[in-house]
Amino acid sequence: MASMEGRRRGLPNAAVTAMVLAIAIVFFFSAAAPLASAASVEHTFVVSQTKMTRLCKETLVTVVNGQLPGPTIEVREGDSVTVHVVNRSPYNITIHWHGVKQVRNCWADGVPMVTQCPIMPNKNFTYWFNVVGQEGTLWWHSHVPGLRATLHGAFIIRPRHGAASYPFPKPHREIPVIIGDWWEKDPAEVARNMTKSIFSSYASASTVNGLVGDLFNCSGVAKEGYVLDVEPGKTYLLRIINAGLFSEFYLKIAGHKFTVVAADANYVRPFTTEVIAIAPGETVDALLIADAHPGRYYMVGLPNQAPLPDTQTPEYATRGMVQYMVSQGPCSGTEVGCRGPSADVPIVPKMPDIHDTVTSFYFHSNLTSLQHHAHLLVQQRVDQRMFVVLGLGTICKQGHKFCKRGDSDEDILVATMNNVSFLPPTSKSLLEAHYYHTGRHGMTQDLPKMPPKLYNFTDEALIPFGPKEMRLEPTYKATLVRRFQQGAVVEIVFQSTAMLQGDSNPMHLHGHDMVVLAQGLGSYDPVKDGARYNYVNPPVKNTVLVPNLGWIAIRFVANNPGVWFMHCHYEFHLSMGMAAVFIVEDGPTMDTSLPPPPVNFPTCGHDIDLMPKDFYLHTKKSET
Ligand SMILES: *[C@@H]1O[C@H](CO)[C@@H](O)[C@H](O)[C@H]1NC(C)=O
Ligand SMILES: *[C@@H]1O[C@H](CO)[C@@H](O)[C@H](O)[C@H]1NC(C)=O
Ligand SMILES: *[C@@H]1O[C@H](CO)[C@@H](O)[C@H](O)[C@H]1NC(C)=O
Ligand SMILES: *[C@@H]1O[C@H](CO)[C@@H](O)[C@H](O)[C@H]1NC(C)=O
Ligand SMILES: *[C@@H]1O[C@H](CO)[C@@H](O)[C@H](O)[C@H]1NC(C)=O
Ligand SMILES: *[C@@H]1O[C@H](CO)[C@@H](O)[C@H](O)[C@H]1NC(C)=O
Ligand SMILES: *[C@@H]1O[C@H](CO)[C@@H](O)[C@H](O)[C@H]1NC(C)=O
Ligand SMILES: [Cu+2]
């Protein structure tokens, strides 16, 4: 209330801001005080370009601290994290902490032009945030189109009291397994080209922990792959992340099963499976028990393709190896020094077909929450319902209203939600416009709650260019937003379509987790499908995979004030506009409102009209 006084007395805005900031900090630390063990974890991320050799060729890549994957951030729940980002690359950079809820801290979410102006070359910026109420595997990546191909790393959150309080037996070791792509072309340019309908470049290989593996053999020599040394009988926790730009992967290890224990930093009821299906943006924690005959076993990552007649893009399997350490020669075999890698011929796992989407559907259906979330969902009140249809469409070039569509060069292909494609703002970030109330009227447009046209969404005749889909092609671009009142319970059904493609879409929401109530194939039927929602133990995710030619129903509570990106995590859909922004309004109290921006918050290189926000005076009066 002190700052309300301050404003009445006419203190300069900067002083008010500083006071609000001070109060916010005091508030945070006092809230965090009971966590005696909470630590502050600090990193410096130098983003620069460096040459790396894969596939017998030196390629210039943009990485953090010279590493691919980038550094792993390891914290305990309750810790605060400080990352100094120093940009020595030629690109505008942001870093997004994928899945970190950033409670009342949208400023640190790292989405260019949505939550911040990017960090320009030769500038730096310090991200600060705390990690509360989440445990498991998340990751960080650049949110600049394309660049997350090489700017990414694991983000591991252990329980506050350490690994002994995992809800599963304490593993012998924990291993990040990051699946990614190797690009010989500049992925930033590839993404830029996609916004202009130029699809000329694809990844050259897939990787496990940055290595392409021995399925790639340029110059006739098999390439190095990731090797996990295991001791017989021990249990390993694999923290699996799909950092790839384009593909969902099937991951298998010959001769072994996985026990899945968490996904997207939420524990799941453990289940056993031979194959893990992981879409871009998802994470899966799985236990691997080294209980096979001590030998060598390939670990294969196979990208899957949308079923025909959908467009097929060049994609490559990658493999690493699980290698048992066995006793060697003359030693007794009990001393550690006597152990060496097994020399057995490595065993190859049998992978699903590249067009198999059912295995992924089952894998995702098998995820259920370990905790029961009935308390959230028995609250059957839903304040806003949305039906969001995902598809592709076309826009005529040069702003023309009419043009030849259907695989012509007069139009560009874009990706849509409810028949609108996202137009990123260019002059200032949406979060600043929201916070300072400086958004020009007409700068944004509401994401429609419903698609403008109902059609047979999953009619496969819509996949290839042709007369049937042509009527549905025309669309347009807008900076799509949807506003939610603080605390609103939102239900969204995402429907994927056959509109020019049948891809499955991993939809990622920033700042909130979603509960997955149900998923299915074909078109969503509110009566039939609504009746089979799981209110008992629905999985909790930050990225939900909309099944190929199917739908998924989710709910979330819009209780984190700020401006949050919601988008498809397939990079090509994202750069083509399958995105929108959810604005969660401030509540009536300080702890339901967004504090001011951190110091040295990057600007877009020109003055911003620093209108003070009615931080305290704002109430819900106008709405009640
Ligand atoms: C970031 O930039 C400021 C001013 O340019 C400089 O004082 C500071 O040392 C830099 N921080 C890092 C981590 O390089
Ligand atoms: C981007 O498109 C241009 C124009 O067609 C082409 O010359 C260039 O090679 C493309 N870049 C990449 C990385 O694909
Ligand atoms: C190289 O890899 C290809 C495809 O996996 C395979 O068919 C070929 O036999 C390999 N060549 C060598 C020399 O290993
Ligand atoms: C779980 O996966 C198995 C196959 O691995 C499948 O048979 C089963 O139907 C799945 N469960 C659900 C609820 O989909
Ligand atoms: C929608 O299209 C699919 C695939 O062509 C077809 O099986 C289904 O019967 C159609 N549904 C309706 C309601 O027409
Ligand atoms: C999108 O809107 C345009 C213009 O109103 C219309 O021509 C087109 O058929 C619509 N497409 C879909 C998929 O709703
Ligand atoms: C980088 O950001 C600045 C400031 O927002 C902008 O003026 C510039 O055009 C951007 N550069 C690129 C390459 O996007
Ligand atoms: Cu998508």
Side-chain angles (χ1 to χ4, degrees):
M1 296 309 98
S3 68
M4 214 188 319
E5 296 289 342
R7 296 194 51 173
R8 285 207 205 106
R9 286 187 209 133
L11 279 189
N13 294 331
V16 174
T17 305
M19 284 166 78
V20 171
L21 186 64
I23 290 166
I25 289 168
V26 168
F27 175 80
F28 169 70
F29 282 112
S30 57
L35 342 170
S37 61
S40 172
V41 175
E42 196 161 340
H43 285 262
T44 298
F45 277 17
V46 179
V47 180
S48 69
Q49 290 193 303
T50 181
K51 284 185 177 149
M52 288 190 179
T53 303
R54 300 283 188 283
L55 308 179
C56 306
K57 207 160 121 192
E58 249 191 4
T59 305
L60 195 63
V61 290
T62 308
V63 291
V64 166
N65 300 354
Q67 295 168 241
L68 181 69
T72 298
I73 296 184
E74 295 179 72
V75 305
R76 287 186 180 200
E77 190 271 333
D79 287 354
S80 66
V81 179
T82 304
V83 183
H84 308 286
V85 178
V86 179
N87 186 5
R88 300 220 178 101
S89 82
Y91 301 107
N92 286 342
I93 296 291
T94 68
I95 304 287
H96 168 59
W97 318 96
H98 181 109
V100 174
K101 281 190 211 152
Q102 303 290 5
V103 176
R104 295 178 61 240
N105 192 29
C106 190
W107 303 105
D109 197 43
V111 186
M113 306 321 290
V114 174
T115 66
Q116 70 171 97
C117 295
I119 311 165
M120 288 190 278
N122 297 314
K123 301 273 185 206
N124 60 27
F125 174 59
T126 297
Y127 288 93
W128 178 88
F129 52 93
N130 53 346
V131 180
V132 176
Q134 303 182 272
E135 291 175 14
T137 306
L138 295 173
W139 57 300
W140 58 264
H141 62 80
S142 170
H143 223 296
V144 175
L147 283 181
R148 79 175 161 85
T150 49
L151 283 173
H152 62 250
F155 193 110
I156 294 171
I157 312 166
R158 299 205 171 81
R160 197 175 299 207
H161 301 294
S165 44
Y166 286 140
F168 45 82
K170 187 171 180 283
H172 174 57
R173 280 171 63 203
E174 302 184 9
I175 316 286
V177 175
I178 303 181
I179 299 169
D181 323 303
W182 178 255
W183 289 81
E184 290 179 324
K185 294 286 170 59
D186 174 2
E189 189 184 321
V190 172
R192 248 193 331 272
N193 272 4
M194 278 174 186
T195 65
K196 296 182 248 161
S197 255
I198 304 167
F199 305 93
S200 52
S201 306
Y202 299 95
S204 308
S206 305
T207 55
V208 174
N209 289 341
L211 299 171
V212 298
D214 67 359
L215 288 172
F216 299 91
N217 58 13
C218 52
S219 315
V221 181
K223 295 292 117 189
E224 189 189 353
Y226 172 70
V227 177
L228 169 59
D229 288 334
V230 299
E231 290 175 48
K234 297 265 162 77
T235 299
Y236 298 80
L237 174 61
L238 308 185
R239 296 177 174 279
I240 306 158
I241 297 166
N242 183 349
L245 296 191
F246 281 159
S247 297
E248 180 184 6
F249 276 81
Y250 286 129
L251 183 75
K252 267 186 100 164
I253 298 173
H256 292 78
K257 287 184 174 166
F258 303 99
T259 303
V260 177
V261 293
D264 292 5
N266 287 289
Y267 294 118
V268 300
R269 196 164 50 89
F271 68 96
T272 305
T273 176
E274 284 181 0
V275 58
I276 284 173
I278 186 166
E282 289 189 304
T283 65
V284 172
D285 291 1
L287 296 172
L288 171 75
I289 303 175
D291 59 359
H293 167 77
R296 296 198 294 162
Y297 300 88
Y298 276 119
M299 170 197 289
V300 176
L302 177 77
N304 63 14
Q305 290 268 10
L308 293 162
D310 209 325
T311 320
Q312 308 287 295
T313 54
E315 288 174 342
Y316 307 90
T318 177
R319 71 187 179 191
M321 195 184 288
V322 169
Q323 173 172 272
Y324 281 66
M325 302 304 278
V326 293
S327 59
Q328 304 276 302
C331 295
S332 69
T334 49
E335 304 141 62
V336 172
C338 288
R339 285 174 184 271
S342 157
D344 290 5
V345 174
I347 297 173
V348 179
K350 186 175 180 317
M351 300 304 290
D353 188 83
I354 53 164
H355 292 120
D356 174 350
T357 54
V358 173
T359 298
S360 163
F361 184 78
Y362 281 153
F363 177 84
H364 288 93
S365 309
N366 269 304
L367 296 171
T368 52
S369 179
L370 185 64
Q371 290 92 11
H372 284 204
H373 284 265
H375 60 281
L376 167 68
L377 294 151
V378 163
Q379 178 194 62
Q380 298 250 343
R381 167 185 72 119
V382 173
D383 301 305
Q384 281 222 33
R385 281 179 205 277
M386 301 180 72
F387 183 58
V388 176
V389 173
L390 310 169
L392 299 188
T394 57
I395 295 177
C396 297
K397 282 183 179 163
Q398 279 129 24
H400 292 156
K401 233 182 163 148
F402 300 100
C403 59
K404 188 164 169 284
R405 300 188 193 252
D407 207 12
S408 97
D409 54 13
E410 292 177 24
D411 62 6
I412 61 166
L413 194 64
V414 297
T416 60
M417 287 190 196
N418 286 347
N419 201 16
V420 196
S421 179
F422 187 73
L423 177 69
T426 49
S427 66
K428 79 166 64 146
S429 81
L430 290 178
L431 182 59
E432 284 172 289
H434 168 69
Y435 183 78
Y436 295 110
H437 292 305
T438 52
R440 268 180 298 113
H441 195 67
M443 188 172 130
T444 60
Q445 188 195 301
D446 278 356
L447 169 66
K449 275 189 186 177
M450 293 285 292
K453 264 188 200 174
L454 298 176
Y455 56 98
N456 186 349
F457 301 119
T458 51
D459 181 354
E460 285 172 38
L462 296 169
I463 293 178
F465 286 107
K468 198 161 185 182
E469 56 73 31
M470 194 103 79
R471 300 176 291 120
L472 296 167
E473 265 188 46
T475 184
Y476 65 97
K477 278 179 178 279
T479 304
L480 287 173
V481 304
R482 185 94 217 160
R483 285 176 184 277
F484 301 108
Q485 280 192 20
Q486 177 61 223
V489 178
V490 182
E491 177 172 318
I492 305 178
V493 174
F494 291 108
Q495 172 74 57
S496 75
T497 63
M499 187 52 206
L500 295 174
Q501 51 96 46
D503 283 343
S504 37
N505 301 291
M507 303 306 293
H508 175 50
L509 173 61
H510 292 211
H512 302 78
D513 274 344
M514 303 172 266
V515 295
V516 179
L517 297 170
Q519 57 171 340
L521 302 177
S523 294
Y524 175 76
D525 175 336
V527 177
K528 187 169 74 53
D529 297 322
R532 51 182 201 84
Y533 281 4
N534 174 4
Y535 292 111
V536 179
N537 57 1
V540 184
K541 306 270 284 124
N542 63 57
T543 305
V544 298
L545 183 65
V546 187
N548 184 285
L549 300 182
W551 54 269
I552 196 163
I554 64 101
R555 274 186 201 170
F556 71 98
V557 182
N559 56 6
N560 191 5
V563 169
W564 304 103
F565 211 24
M566 191 276 287
H567 63 93
C568 183
H569 224 279
Y570 267 131
E571 196 72 3
F572 100 93
H573 282 175
L574 172 57
S575 45
M576 288 162 64
M578 193 180 279
V581 165
F582 285 173
I583 299 180
V584 178
E585 305 278 10
D586 282 351
T589 58
M590 193 166 135
D591 60 358
T592 52
S593 298
L594 180 69
V599 287
N600 299 330
F601 196 63
T603 61
C604 286
H606 49 76
D607 289 337
I608 292 167
D609 177 19
L610 285 177
M611 282 272 297
K613 191 177 84 146
D614 276 344
F615 190 61
Y616 291 100
L617 302 178
H618 177 81
T619 62
K620 294 266 159 221
K621 244 179 260 155
S622 54
E623 288 147 11
T624 48

